[in-house]
Amino acid sequence: MLMFKVVHIIILIFVCIVNGNELEVCEVFDKYAENSKKCSIRNNFTQKRYILYDINPPEGFNLRRDVYVRLAVFIKKLIERDKEYEWQLVLPPWGNLYHWRHHNTGLQEYLFWGNFFDITSLQKYIPVIEMYKFMEEYSSETKEIQLDCVYILQNDKEMFKTGKFEDKNEVMNCTNDSLQFFKSKQHIYTSPFWGYRNITTWNVKCLKFHGTASYLYQNLKPIQYRSVMFDHMEIALHDEYGSKEYWKARRSMRYNSELYNIAKNYRKTFLNSTDKNDNTVRPLDWTKEENRRNARGGPYLAIHFRRRDFIIGHKESIPTIKNAASQLREKMDKLGLTVLFVATDGEQHEFEELKSYLPQYKVLKFIPSDYVMNKFKDGGVAIIDQIICSYARYFIGTHESTFTYRIQEDREIIGFLPETTFNTLCKTNKKCPTTGQWQIVW
Ligand SMILES: Nc1nc2c(ncn2[C@@H]2O[C@H](COP(=O)(O)OP(=O)(O)OP(=O)(O)O)[C@@H](O)[C@H]2O)c(=O)[nH]1
Ligand SMILES: *[C@@H]1O[C@H](CO)[C@@H](O)[C@H](O)[C@H]1NC(C)=O
Ligand SMILES: *[C@@H]1O[C@H](CO)[C@@H](O)[C@H](O)[C@H]1NC(C)=O
Ligand SMILES: *[C@@H]1O[C@H](CO)[C@@H](O)[C@H](O)[C@H]1NC(C)=O
Ligand SMILES: *[C@@H]1O[C@H](CO)[C@@H](O)[C@H](O)[C@H]1NC(C)=O
Ligand SMILES: *[C@@H]1O[C@H](CO)[C@@H](O)[C@H](O)[C@H]1NC(C)=O
Ligand SMILES: [Mg+2]
């Protein structure tokens, strides 16, 4: 045994010398490797660096999609800047979201990105891997996946008080509060880590942070760390919101093709809408997609009718159902449309009420089959609603809803005229919020 250890150490030293600048990495690995074989396997991957992240638990699906874009742009630039390493973004599994309320769909946890998005499309922008793939690659033969460093991002409360914002990246002592979800045993931390019990770390740092995602660069320390996780990633801002690069990252977020097909069938069956008739044919490969403004859309008006928490949280812009109906009637008559597609998180009775005010029109919503519900769950059904809205001749959203923003982006990408897209319901016909138009840049 002793002999084995000595040989092990010699091999390690050898490997470290051979690799020169990798010395530190190898030392770190050695602490946890039980034999030299593991170290050599790890060395084989020695240029691979993994970036992981998580987001404040209460945040919704659609804000999380926006945070992905912030990271994607950051990593795109990182790859151009630092060619020495193979940077990879590990996609955090979806689960336990506040709005995912259906309990008859099986567990809404550990859902991989492939359920919702087309991974090949994402990979045409930056190297991403699913969590299970990371676990396979990273753990070698050990049972535990030990992250080299976990940063917990925190807002600087002072800045929010004074209103004087400047870039900040300051490692500080963690308060008990920021560690509330972490448990430590002999300096090894576990935490919810997307629900995985076998992910741990011995290195947790709290980071008072203000700045864009790229400002996190200084924390990567690739000579020391092979894997770095950023918790509360929503605190980092966009590097260039609305730029060409932003839109490239956004365009790479094509949905799972089955979700497109379900939406396509629904459009054809219930809305007399086909890509050929509507002039919405798109290349399969998003990198081949081009700037256009001639999409026509299916012969229906689509509305994103956000209810639930918005009725209370956004009182000043959410109309009564009756008033919403009157706004819709006016618009449909003006456009000569007789079919209304409703995407909503509201209750069935709210939908029925809306319908009752619009007897002269065909008013529809998407009702998932058991198969669709079980396979794609609340997140996938929401995306199907979004896709159907994104192909409508005219769209009306809900003021300040990120769900609506994602539809608007998709319509910009498909190539509609902005005036058919950037519309929201008003509080009343007279009192209307003004909204920004974040138009696409190619
Ligand atoms: N199927 C479906 N689900 C919806 C619809 N509107 C909202 N939801 C659900 O409610 C969630 C809305 O939460 P978010 O994704 O955070 O978006 P938001 O609440 O509109 O916007 P913010 O809270 O301001 O970030 C969605 O993720 C869906 O799960 C809808 O029209 N159809
Ligand atoms: C090292 O990596 C290469 C390429 O990824 C692979 O083919 C090879 O089997 C790996 N070797 C070991 C010892 O894991
Ligand atoms: C960690 O746990 C998950 C499920 O909890 C499992 O799928 C995975 O294989 C485990 N990984 C390792 C390296 O044991
Ligand atoms: C962090 O904590 C250590 C030990 O508890 C202490 O010595 C150090 O001064 C603290 N640093 C800051 C910035 O508060
Ligand atoms: C933090 O928690 C530890 C252990 O639970 C406790 O001893 C300590 O007093 C707490 N510190 C603060 C500032 O609450
Ligand atoms: C469906 O759309 C096509 C082409 O836009 C049109 O010619 C046809 O009359 C429509 N069918 C119905 C039933 O509205
Ligand atoms: Mg929300």
Side-chain angles (χ1 to χ4, degrees):
M1 193 60 201
L2 183 69
M3 193 54 203
F4 176 78
K5 272 281 175 201
V6 170
V7 170
H8 171 203
I9 287 163
I10 290 170
I11 289 172
L12 272 174
I13 290 167
F14 178 71
V15 168
C16 292
I17 290 168
V18 166
N19 281 312
N21 62 348
E22 294 296 323
L23 184 68
E24 228 174 325
V25 176
C26 207
E27 270 176 358
V28 172
F29 292 165
D30 184 35
K31 262 203 235 166
Y32 302 100
E34 276 152 35
N35 57 51
S36 57
K37 188 163 158 254
K38 269 172 210 160
C39 188
S40 74
I41 288 170
R42 289 196 155 195
N43 254 298
N44 198 23
F45 291 120
T46 208
Q47 299 314 108
K48 283 206 181 183
R49 293 292 178 274
Y50 301 91
I51 298 175
L52 301 93
Y53 73 102
D54 204 356
I55 293 173
N56 191 23
E59 300 298 348
F61 188 70
N62 288 291
L63 177 95
R64 285 162 189 268
R65 285 171 56 182
D66 187 63
V67 173
Y68 171 82
V69 175
R70 300 177 208 178
L71 268 156
V73 170
F74 164 37
I75 286 164
K76 179 80 176 178
K77 290 191 197 167
L78 172 63
I79 289 166
E80 285 159 11
R81 173 175 178 174
D82 192 337
K83 295 196 164 57
E84 199 178 330
Y85 300 100
E86 279 175 55
W87 298 98
Q88 313 234 46
L89 180 65
V90 182
L91 300 168
W94 303 91
N96 277 323
L97 299 193
Y98 165 76
H99 291 284
W100 290 357
R101 298 171 293 133
H102 285 97
H103 298 296
N104 54 350
T105 65
L107 209 59
Q108 302 215 43
E109 258 188 288
Y110 310 107
L111 301 177
F112 296 115
W113 279 57
N115 279 293
F116 304 127
F117 299 97
D118 182 56
I119 301 296
T120 313
S121 290
L122 297 176
Q123 283 168 338
K124 282 181 187 158
Y125 188 65
I126 52 158
V128 295
I129 54 169
E130 295 269 25
M131 184 63 77
Y132 66 82
K133 194 84 204 311
F134 165 72
M135 288 179 150
E136 276 169 30
E137 271 186 27
Y138 192 79
S139 64
S140 325
E141 285 144 41
T142 53
K143 283 246 164 52
E144 263 182 21
I145 292 127
Q146 202 147 40
L147 303 178
D148 291 336
C149 188
V150 173
Y151 293 99
I152 306 174
L153 272 54
Q154 297 178 355
N155 280 315
D156 184 342
K157 295 206 180 86
E158 264 315 295
M159 276 192 210
F160 281 83
K161 264 190 221 148
T162 60
K164 264 201 237 147
F165 293 97
E166 51 191 37
D167 285 356
K168 180 166 261 185
N169 186 85
E170 196 178 291
V171 176
M172 54 179 219
N173 286 338
C174 290
T175 59
N176 282 0
D177 201 30
S178 44
L179 286 178
Q180 62 176 317
F181 297 116
F182 286 79
K183 284 205 181 78
S184 93
K185 210 165 151 191
Q186 287 162 339
H187 304 290
I188 302 289
Y189 289 90
T190 52
S191 98
F193 286 134
W194 314 278
Y196 293 99
R197 299 252 145 251
N198 52 8
I199 299 183
T200 63
T201 185
W202 49 272
N203 192 4
V204 179
K205 292 182 179 181
C206 286
L207 196 62
K208 210 181 263 183
F209 186 83
H210 185 81
T212 66
S214 288
Y215 199 56
L216 290 169
Y217 175 80
Q218 58 201 297
N219 306 302
L220 297 175
K221 307 197 169 133
I223 296 173
Q224 251 172 296
Y225 305 140
R226 203 163 61 110
S227 60
V228 168
M229 174 192 172
F230 297 105
D231 198 2
H232 281 274
M233 186 60 201
E234 76 284 353
I235 287 177
L237 307 170
H238 277 287
D239 277 299
E240 30 181 292
Y241 184 74
S243 71
K244 188 172 163 178
E245 207 54 46
Y246 166 92
W247 281 100
K248 255 184 152 171
R250 178 62 182 81
R251 289 197 287 126
S252 75
M253 298 183 83
R254 288 274 184 107
Y255 303 113
N256 175 323
S257 61
E258 204 180 334
L259 297 174
Y260 281 115
N261 286 335
I262 295 164
K264 199 171 241 174
N265 279 332
Y266 183 89
R267 284 164 54 207
K268 189 170 167 207
T269 311
F270 298 101
L271 302 167
N272 193 21
S273 164
T274 61
D275 288 336
K276 213 154 162 267
N277 284 341
D278 306 348
N279 203 24
T280 50
V281 178
R282 305 167 69 183
L284 274 175
D285 178 350
W286 66 266
T287 63
K288 305 264 167 16
E289 204 154 33
E290 287 173 1
N291 183 8
R292 52 183 284 214
R293 285 287 181 191
N294 58 358
R296 192 161 166 260
Y300 57 98
L301 188 147
I303 176 157
H304 174 226
F305 195 43
R306 184 75 162 79
R307 305 298 293 171
R308 296 181 64 78
D309 50 310
F310 262 51
I311 303 175
I312 302 151
H314 294 251
K315 270 201 199 83
E316 65 301 332
S317 60
I318 298 286
T320 61
I321 296 176
K322 191 168 185 183
N323 198 280
S326 120
Q327 294 175 44
L328 290 167
R329 195 183 306 120
E330 197 177 299
K331 199 46 100 181
M332 305 239 309
D333 289 350
K334 198 168 151 207
L335 297 166
L337 295 173
T338 56
V339 179
L340 175 67
F341 177 78
V342 181
T344 186
D345 59 342
E347 304 289 342
Q348 183 62 23
H349 71 84
E350 294 179 297
F351 173 71
E352 298 297 342
E353 187 186 335
L354 180 71
K355 215 169 140 171
S356 74
Y357 298 127
L358 300 165
Q360 63 274 53
Y361 309 103
K362 190 164 144 188
V363 180
L364 298 165
K365 70 174 193 169
F366 173 73
I367 296 162
S369 64
D370 286 348
Y371 164 78
V372 170
M373 197 68 218
N374 282 321
K375 180 154 185 201
F376 296 107
K377 308 185 195 285
D378 285 322
V381 171
I383 288 173
I384 294 167
D385 269 345
Q386 287 177 314
I387 297 172
I388 299 170
C389 287
S390 71
Y391 282 94
R393 191 147 309 160
Y394 196 89
F395 172 67
I396 300 180
T398 295
H399 185 59
E400 286 181 338
S401 159
T402 51
F403 189 103
T404 284
Y405 295 153
R406 300 295 87 85
I407 296 169
Q408 293 175 335
E409 290 160 1
D410 281 332
R411 292 178 63 87
E412 281 292 288
I413 295 166
I414 295 169
F416 285 95
L417 288 172
E419 49 268 36
T420 70
T421 292
F422 295 100
N423 311 290
T424 55
L425 280 176
C426 308
K427 175 73 190 176
T428 64
N429 305 47
K430 291 196 191 76
K431 188 169 171 277
C432 225
T434 46
T435 28
Q437 290 196 6
W438 293 102
Q439 291 186 18
I440 194 165
V441 176
W442 291 86

